[in-house]
Amino acid sequence: MALNMLCKLAALTGLALMLTGCVDIELDVALTSPETARASLTQTMSGDFYAMLKMNAPPKDNQFCSKGEFTETDDGGAICTITQEGRFAGLDLGEYETPVHFRSAGPGLVRISVPTAPIRAELDMGEDVDEETRQMLDSILAKRAITLRFSGLAIAETNMELTPDGAAEIVIPFSDLLDSKRQFPVEYYAVVRAP
């Protein structure tokens, strides 16, 4: 995709939205006790977009990974990983705007949840975006997704998929989040048995 088309997209929809669209996001929350967890947020940017970002910002002004561990990949892309461990209230994942909620679900059980409305609101382009821009954004988002993963000793209940290693996980394509007709649960959650 030509650089001027990307710049047009950035101007029309805002840099934050464009960066969200060119990044795969993985949020992994693992209970370490009934009051603590380890949370890791990994954002992976493709080579095309990372090259454009580097052209438009000085190397010392890292707009992509201002907090966390930064790695450039062999294919010219970049990865930003923020990992925090501790009490639920103290977890801070930097740029991640969607809150992760923790609450007791009984003895030894913790309900971990992420509401879907803030994610969709962050991607909302409004009504002023023309069809050409919408199509460009759809093409950018076609291969990008948010992955949520919650784990602990065992999953007692969830509206996500159970993985072979016993975690609850859901992969949400960005293109689905932009589809106003697509229905989502109010939140994705898992009731997890704590170690």
Side-chain angles (χ1 to χ4, degrees), residues 33-135:
S33 81
E35 295 88 26
T36 61
R38 181 178 59 256
S40 178
L41 174 68
T42 303
Q43 301 172 82
T44 305
M45 183 177 284
S46 67
D48 293 344
F49 287 97
Y50 183 58
M52 186 189 79
L53 186 66
K54 286 197 302 188
M55 283 177 26
N56 292 315
K60 64 180 178 151
D61 182 22
N62 192 337
Q63 296 176 3
F64 172 55
C65 192
S66 60
K67 177 182 179 181
E69 183 180 324
F70 176 77
T71 308
E72 288 190 351
T73 60
D74 292 339
D75 65 356
I79 298 172
C80 181
T81 304
I82 301 168
T83 302
Q84 295 280 315
E85 187 165 357
R87 298 186 70 76
F88 301 146
L91 297 177
D92 175 18
L93 296 173
E95 295 87 3
Y96 190 66
E97 298 295 328
T98 301
V100 179
H101 298 286
F102 300 91
R103 78 169 199 246
S104 175
L109 296 172
V110 177
R111 189 177 195 277
I112 308 170
S113 62
V114 171
T116 57
I119 300 171
R120 291 190 91 169
E122 192 171 325
L123 291 174
D124 185 14
M125 291 183 288
E127 310 236 340
D128 297 335
V129 177
D130 62 50
E131 188 57 32
E132 180 186 11
T133 303
R134 242 178 235 289
Q135 288 175 1

Side-chain angles (χ1 to χ4, degrees), residues 6-19:
L6 291 173
C7 291
K8 177 185 176 194
L9 182 63
L12 289 173
T13 62
L15 183 61
L17 172 59
M18 190 191 74
L19 289 178

